[in-house]
Amino acid sequence: MIPAVELRDVRKVYQGSPPVTALAGISLDVPSGTIYGLLGPNGAGKTTAIGICTTKVRATGGTTRVAGLDVATDAVAVRRHVGVASQAITLDRSCSVSDNVYYHCRYFGMPAAESRHRTEELLDRFLIADRRDAMPSQLSGGLAQRVQLARAIAHRPSVLFLDEPTAGLDPQSRLALWDLVGTLRGEGLTVVLTTHYMEEADKLCQRLAIVDHGRILAEGTPEQLKQESGSTAVIDVALAGDRVAARAALDGVVGVRDVQDTERGLRILVAPEGGGVPRVVSRVAEHHLTDLKVVEPSLETAFIRLTGRDLRE
Amino acid sequence: MSNRQSILASVLGLWARDFRVLRREWMPFMLRTIMNPVLSVFVFTYVLPRTGQNLPVAAGAGTMATVLVPGLIAIAMVFTSIAAVALPLSIELGATREIEDRVLAPIPLATVPLAKVAFGAFQGVLAGAVIFPIIIALPATEVHIRVASWPLLALMVALSSWTAASLGLFLGTVVRPQHIGLMFAVILTPLMFLGCVYYPWASLSAIPWLQVLVLVNPLVYMSEGLRIALTPDVPHLPMAAAAGMLFLLATILTMAGVRGFGKRVVG
């Protein structure tokens, strides 16, 4: 089966002074019918990658195929296959909620009657029928994102691209959106989403690519990624005392994989089995420990190990 | 569905959307269309004559009210294209990125701006039709309209409204939302006052340098073209010159607008 989305050594350099390399050559396959996540900090190149797949951005090099069609030579046909909901609300502010969905159907060539029917169906399904006459400016962020989602799938695309779909949403709206995305996948839709929320990537996605500085650092199922990181716990300590002495105290401690300097102290990567974490903590405690944070082995620690930084940094 | 049919279906969708917005905003449409012509007619054919400041109208130009008719229709078209094409486009291409949904429709990229121009031209014709009876009926003095050829009138109306709409597209892709006020002051005001609206081009022979300078103004050819079709007894440019220049300017502005649009929406 051909992958829903296929990227081969895709590069993008934005001209300017200086030129900015957004993608430094990424290759990936999104299997049909999965939810695929691009996980990375802001500025990693995720949005550019989605822009290229949806014909909004022209790649500088490489090949991108969606549903087997080349986006560079077959852009019009590709647009029939993709649905897009961006991070920013791009709803047509001159049109009501229902008109946003209705005219989207018309732009895709659906006859008027069918467009009306499809709009009704989606308004009901996305629980926005009671706000049908509202203007986009009157909607909360969660509702507006739901309208964008309804609009994005109105023409029955085969791949849905969601750029940071839950950024800025309250926890309740976020859960509701996850539910919706899960249901859509159940109906055979392939979903590609970008996120910088670990939890979102972990719970929602069948496969993930960790992206930073325009490159893919690791790719696989969330479980694979967690294991590949060698089940490492990350201990961040803030120290008032001598860093060098603290480092020395960690020399030869069983389980310690790496020690890095941070602004306030040290970051210690440690194998948690056999009491690795308490061992490290007891060693650094003697060096005027002022603060301590332990991150259990997770996608987050995999991410920290691969990129050398926190998503929040 | 063939390729051409599916593009046509999408274009009909784009127009249906624009028509819906126009229908909801018909009141602002009427206000902005009527305001300038009504005040112009009021000042030039009532206030100035009543206050003893009669404008000497060039020989053979008939009454001031007659001179104003084609020019005010041209102004209405320009104002409409600015309000219906340039301003919304400037905003939709800007921070809100509202245009995105239409740009992602399964049609060649140029279709979206071209459909905008076509709908803008339609609104221009509508605006002209709305003010025509007003500027005929309102002046106290005689207005002398003589349509010698209806096909000629149709041609001039079509060329003028296309020129106005393509100017709107071009400005909409060039002017950033924060510079809209500046656009009115720096572009629209000279366009209006030096557009042969209040005087026929021939009368500028008294100021030769100005007569040459205004030839870069598209509004000159709109005013003069409509003058040929509606008030042929007022001195005017040769028909071929007006029609030819309108066609040329509209083509250039449309092409530049489509290019600018493409640059703005594709990264």
Side-chain angles (χ1 to χ4, degrees), chain B residues 39 53 78 86 94 169 211:
Chain B
L39 283 173
Q53 303 170 68
V78 169
L169 172 71
Q211 195 174 30

Side-chain angles (χ1 to χ4, degrees), chain A residues 12 14 54-59 76-77 79-80 84 86 88-96 99-100 102-104 106-110 135 151, chain B residues 1 3 6 9-14 16-17 20-21 24-25 92 95-109 262 265-267:
Chain A
K12 175 66 185 177
Y14 288 103
T54 56
T55 75
K56 274 192 293 184
V57 177
R58 251 184 227 120
V76 172
R79 283 185 215 133
R80 289 202 171 278
V84 187
S86 27
I89 300 300
T90 62
L91 292 174
D92 189 339
R93 283 153 174 79
S94 309
C95 290
S96 66
D99 279 352
N100 261 281
Y102 171 77
Y103 287 114
H104 178 93
R106 297 289 307 270
Y107 303 156
F108 277 79
M110 265 188 222
M135 298 305 272
R151 185 178 73 169
Chain B
M1 219 173 8
N3 226 355
S6 83
S10 298
V11 169
L12 289 177
L14 292 169
R17 180 262 173 204
R20 170 97 173 111
V21 174
R24 195 180 25 242
E25 295 180 356
E92 288 169 355
T96 68
R97 308 295 300 170
E98 280 168 80
I99 203 77
E100 204 174 275
D101 193 44
R102 279 162 274 172
V103 169
L104 291 175
I107 41 178
L109 197 60
V265 296
V266 177

Side-chain angles (χ1 to χ4, degrees), chain B residues 246-259:
Chain B
L246 282 175
F247 184 79
L248 185 71
L249 288 171
T251 306
I252 292 172
L253 287 168
T254 304
M255 282 167 57
V258 168
R259 227 178 103 89

Side-chain angles (χ1 to χ4, degrees), chain B residues 28-196:
Chain B
F29 172 83
M30 294 300 272
L31 284 175
R32 73 183 180 235
T33 303
I34 291 171
M35 207 48 112
N36 184 295
V38 166
L39 283 173
S40 298
V41 168
F42 177 65
V43 169
F44 286 107
T45 73
Y46 182 77
V47 176
L48 292 185
R50 284 291 287 249
T51 53
Q53 303 170 68
N54 250 324
L55 295 172
V57 176
T63 60
M64 185 66 200
T66 306
V67 169
L68 280 176
V69 170
L72 292 183
I73 294 175
I75 281 203
M77 285 178 171
V78 169
F79 264 63
T80 302
S81 88
I82 297 298
V85 184
L87 299 189
L89 206 55
S90 173
I91 293 165
E92 288 169 355
L93 286 170
T96 68
R97 308 295 300 170
E98 280 168 80
I99 203 77
E100 204 174 275
D101 193 44
R102 279 162 274 172
V103 169
L104 291 175
I107 41 178
L109 197 60
T111 316
V112 177
L114 290 177
K116 272 264 177 225
V117 167
F119 197 80
F122 161 73
Q123 287 198 53
V125 175
L126 209 61
V130 166
I131 62 148
F132 186 69
I134 300 174
I135 53 181
I136 301 266
L138 206 58
T141 53
E142 190 204 344
V143 179
H144 189 64
I145 302 288
R146 183 167 68 81
V147 179
S149 157
W150 289 98
L152 179 67
L153 177 63
L155 175 74
M156 288 304 180
V157 167
L159 283 172
S160 299
S161 56
W162 175 27
T163 305
S166 59
L167 177 70
L169 172 71
F170 175 71
L171 291 176
T173 57
V174 180
V175 177
R176 299 291 192 265
Q178 64 268 31
H179 294 141
I180 283 172
L182 197 63
M183 173 183 79
F184 273 98
V186 177
I187 299 175
L188 284 187
T189 311
L191 226 54
M192 225 169 77
F193 282 99
L194 303 176
C196 295

